[in-house]
Amino acid sequence: MTETESIAYDVVVLGAGPVGENVADRTRAAGLTTAVVESELVGGECSYWACMPSKALLRPVIAQSDARHLPGLGQAVQGPLDTPAVLARRNYFTSNWKDDGQVAWLDGIGADLHRGHGRLAGPRTVTVTGPDGTLTTLTARHAVAVATGTRALLPDLPGLAEVKPWTSREATSAQEAPGRLIVVGGGVVATEMATAWQALGSQVTLLVRGKGLLNRMEPFAGELVADALKEAGVDVRTGTSVRSVTRENGTVVAVTDSGDRIEADEILFATGRVPHTDDIGLDTVGLEPGSWLSADDSLLVEGTDWLYAVGDVNHRALLTHQGKYQARIAGAAIAARAAGTPLLDAPWGAHAATADHGAVPQVVFTDPEAAAVGISLAEAEQAGHRVRAVDVEFSSVAGAGLYADGYKGRARMVVDLDSETLRGVTFVGPGVGELIHSATVAVAGEVPISRLWHAVPSYPTLSEVWLRLLEAYRG
């Protein structure tokens, strides 16, 4: 191993996913020299194995489903999807797992890319082991930002490694549909991949340990998604755990806690994520390898004045868009501290990731879609807020009937009775992913109900659900 001379930068970023890219973008915009370290593809998990490929798989599925509910069009789309064409389009959106374009973008903002495995080697120091074994030492005058994200968590089942199970990476990058697929889990990855592969030709069995799906959302979200999955042909089994998994002559055999034996061609475990921090040198700065990194609202790791944890790695909100939001905040905070200017870190300030605490939006791209922002009714009550939930069916909105015959969906807003602002909003139904930002503005902006009454939704759109919610609340 050959060691090169040390290179000094203002900022060093570990991880070139969307979060790391956004940190670099903000620090470069502030005139700070910035290095980005990446051991895989520039663009990260979201670009190649998560957000982009999964949504590319799901978009034709949802478009076909919508079309099937429209007279004059339904009969024309009754056949199966062209799976090879869908997969080819997915490959296009991952740039065929090549990162040339994203590398060019980094170069365009003036950030230096160092390919290899980056590890902390003490305060403000990162060593990079390159593909050829060359060791480069990077020093940071002002900050090191850890944006290494997470990896899939696999259960501790004997012999699981020999089975070669799918994680989210294999599920979003597979080049053909397995004839039979077992999906283990009840969260976002599990429900989205069950939706996609069932429509692309697999017979999917969904094994859920809990009582229902999407347990971090309002209960009706999981119920409506489960009903739709069953209607699409998915075998949904709740209250079911996997006791053992083997692969016999190429066939996966999963045995449940009730003794059921399920055979499939592949098995996907979508059972959680763990921080990608086990081998990045945390021990050299007094932190625990493999741990989540606790950070304040400016994303500064607690107990340090130079180390930032941005994105999934801090466990604040494991969502790409929220990580990018944090990156914008962190980049601005790094620049302010470097310049010696006052930090605007009061709630909703330019250097405070306040939205992480109660205004986080999320869309689950199942059929129907489930979208939510803020906190659920149960979470609000557990936090001691005095709240009231208001529910309406989308069937009360003219736009829903125009969107599709037999449109099924529900909306809920959780109102804080003391401030008469919204604590949370949930929409479930076709097309509601494009509706959630209006709720995000209302929740993040703490818009009073009295003012929302004057925000007139256009007729006839799905957005008229806002009027129905407000009417139900006001009586």
Side-chain angles (χ1 to χ4, degrees), residues 4-96:
T4 67
E5 61 181 309
S6 177
I7 306 174
Y9 292 92
D10 292 323
V11 180
V12 177
V13 181
L14 278 179
V19 175
E21 288 177 324
N22 273 264
V23 173
D25 186 41
R26 292 296 83 212
T27 56
R28 284 298 302 128
L32 300 176
T33 60
T34 302
V36 180
V37 182
E38 178 54 59
S39 61
E40 294 189 291
L41 297 175
V42 175
E45 200 79 13
C46 178
S47 299
Y48 305 104
W49 300 287
C51 317
M52 293 303 290
S54 65
K55 303 319 168 274
L57 291 173
L58 285 158
R59 179 60 196 142
V61 175
I62 294 170
Q64 183 186 52
S65 176
D66 287 348
R68 284 177 171 173
H69 290 87
L70 290 172
L73 184 58
Q75 290 301 315
V77 293
Q78 285 304 313
L81 288 167
D82 183 342
T83 299
V86 173
L87 298 181
R89 184 173 184 267
R90 182 275 318 273
N91 293 349
Y92 167 79
F93 275 100
T94 62
S95 301
N96 291 292

Side-chain angles (χ1 to χ4, degrees), residues 338-359:
T341 57
L343 217 61
L344 304 176
D345 56 357
W348 307 111
H351 307 123
T354 313
D356 287 352
H357 301 300

Side-chain angles (χ1 to χ4, degrees), residues 320-337:
T320 296
H321 50 269
Q322 213 66 21
K324 291 165 69 174
Y325 161 72
Q326 292 173 12
R328 296 190 293 271
I329 299 293
I334 290 168
R337 287 185 170 118

Side-chain angles (χ1 to χ4, degrees), residues 371-374 390-400 410-415 420-427 431-475:
V373 63
V390 179
D391 292 6
V392 300
E393 300 296 319
F394 268 95
S395 58
S396 65
V397 177
R410 187 179 303 171
R412 168 176 288 181
M413 67 179 188
V414 178
V415 182
E420 283 221 316
T421 60
L422 303 185
R423 289 283 179 180
V425 180
T426 300
F427 300 127
V432 299
E434 296 299 337
L435 195 58
I436 197 62
H437 191 61
S438 58
T440 303
V441 171
V443 172
E446 300 175 347
V447 182
I449 292 288
S450 59
R451 180 56 63 89
L452 282 175
W453 185 249
H454 295 280
V456 182
S458 299
Y459 179 87
T461 66
L462 291 176
S463 292
E464 275 202 303
V465 75
W466 279 108
L467 176 57
R468 300 291 170 255
L469 286 166
L470 293 168
E471 287 175 336
Y473 176 74
R474 290 164 67 99

